[in-house]
Amino acid sequence: MKTAIVTGGAKGIGRAIALKFASSGVNMVVNYLSTDPKELVAEIEALGVGALAVKADISDFAQAEELINQAKEKFGTVDYLINNAGITRDGLILKMKEADFDAVVDTNLKGAFNTIRHASPVMLKQKSGAIVNISSVVGITGNGGQANYSAAKAGLIGLTKSIAKELGSRGITANCVAPGFIETDMTDSLPEAVKKQILESVSLRRYGKPEEVADLVYFVANCAYMTGQVVTIDGGMA
Ligand code: NAP
């Protein structure tokens, strides 16, 4: 049985990813920081696969290492690494606080480096593995009020393309999935006027669902001959 790690897996897109992999017969390691994963763990186990919840702040190098170690100890392999954890601290560049820039880069970009740094030796030894990093369409297009977030998500694309070149010869793939506007807590807090404006730029005239992103992540993770790519899922937004 294969094993997947999803960071920030207890809610939103991460939760949908955890359930998608689990329902496909994959043992799940659910990383979380503040959301209680108890119910999700029970739901995953009911699907007939193993589940392990690991509390870790992935922006911290040592905690990311502990996450990978616990996964390997419990299930023996790390076949899929899904870097999903992310935060926003929106603001215009003229007013953006240094702490808000650092926090977003530390979680969204360095967090992925931290887990990849510790998972890649395991995958190299196995001579197999798939890494999927959740970027965003704004990492491709940019977005006013999100200089920190867009920079981190663009950085994630560079990181992904580079490791794809480094790890490909050992049978390891690395790709990005770049969602548009998906209905989760992250987007729920936006003012109604902003949501309406975003909707007008979406060809399909609706927001995406976490499950729709999860289906794509699972597909990308299992595309054995695709690496270094960015696949958008945005209803025609970008
Ligand atoms: P969400 O509901 O706010 O979930 C964010 C997740 O990240 C939570 O599970 C949270 O864990 C976790 N997290 C945050 N900081 C962490 C840290 N330092 N260590 C470990 N986990 C951490 O947001 P979402 O919409 O599902 O977002 C998931 C990913 O998709 C993010 O990378 C986001 O940037 C990306 N994305 C979202 C959209 C969208 O429209 N929603 C669009 C494009 C890309 P806890 O709850 O346990 O603290």
Side-chain angles (χ1 to χ4, degrees):
M1 210 179 253
K2 289 190 170 181
T3 301
I5 300 174
V6 58
T7 65
K11 68 172 187 171
I13 295 171
R15 185 178 192 281
I17 291 170
L19 288 169
K20 173 69 187 178
F21 278 74
S23 63
S24 308
V26 177
N27 291 324
M28 276 312 308
V29 179
V30 177
N31 157 250
Y32 68 101
L33 188 56
S34 59
T35 302
D36 186 353
K38 229 176 279 155
E39 256 175 53
L40 175 62
V41 164
E43 224 176 303
I44 291 171
E45 284 173 344
L47 291 166
V49 296
L52 173 70
V54 181
K55 183 171 185 173
D57 177 348
I58 49 106
S59 68
D60 183 279
F61 194 68
Q63 290 186 44
E65 181 174 28
E66 185 55 27
L67 166 67
I68 306 300
N69 286 346
Q70 282 198 38
K72 189 156 181 280
E73 225 164 83
K74 168 94 177 172
F75 295 117
T77 63
V78 177
D79 302 286
Y80 304 101
L81 172 64
I82 316 299
N83 282 306
N84 163 81
I87 58 167
T88 50
R89 297 279 186 276
D90 296 353
L92 297 171
I93 194 68
L94 284 174
K95 290 188 173 172
M96 188 173 285
K97 294 192 179 80
E98 183 186 9
D100 289 339
F101 189 88
D102 288 348
V104 168
V105 170
D106 283 354
T107 300
N108 296 269
L109 179 56
K110 188 168 176 253
F113 161 74
N114 288 341
T115 58
I116 292 165
R117 176 66 184 80
H118 297 298
S120 51
V122 181
M123 291 180 170
L124 282 170
K125 216 167 164 202
Q126 290 168 188
K127 293 195 172 63
S128 68
I131 298 165
V132 181
N133 296 321
I134 308 301
S135 179
S136 165
V137 286
V138 305
I140 301 167
T141 62
N143 193 24
Q146 288 197 308
N148 49 0
Y149 183 76
S150 304
K153 293 300 191 184
L156 204 47
I157 293 173
L159 172 70
T160 305
K161 286 177 179 285
S162 301
I163 61 164
K165 287 183 191 297
E166 289 185 27
L167 305 176
S169 66
R170 301 285 191 94
I172 299 160
T173 63
N175 293 288
C176 275
V177 164
F181 192 102
I182 311 300
E183 277 175 1
T184 67
D185 288 353
M186 185 175 274
T187 46
D188 197 40
S189 56
L190 289 171
E192 281 309 315
V194 174
K195 284 191 197 173
K196 204 169 160 249
Q197 196 189 342
I198 292 171
L199 202 54
E200 277 159 19
S201 69
V202 178
S203 307
L204 291 176
R205 293 291 189 274
R206 68 171 178 86
Y207 309 124
K209 296 182 176 59
E211 293 74 21
E212 291 170 324
V213 178
D215 284 350
L216 178 63
V217 170
Y218 183 77
F219 176 77
V220 167
N222 288 289
C223 274
Y225 199 54
M226 183 172 91
T227 196
Q229 302 304 304
V230 184
V231 185
T232 57
I233 174 163
D234 66 353
M237 188 178 163

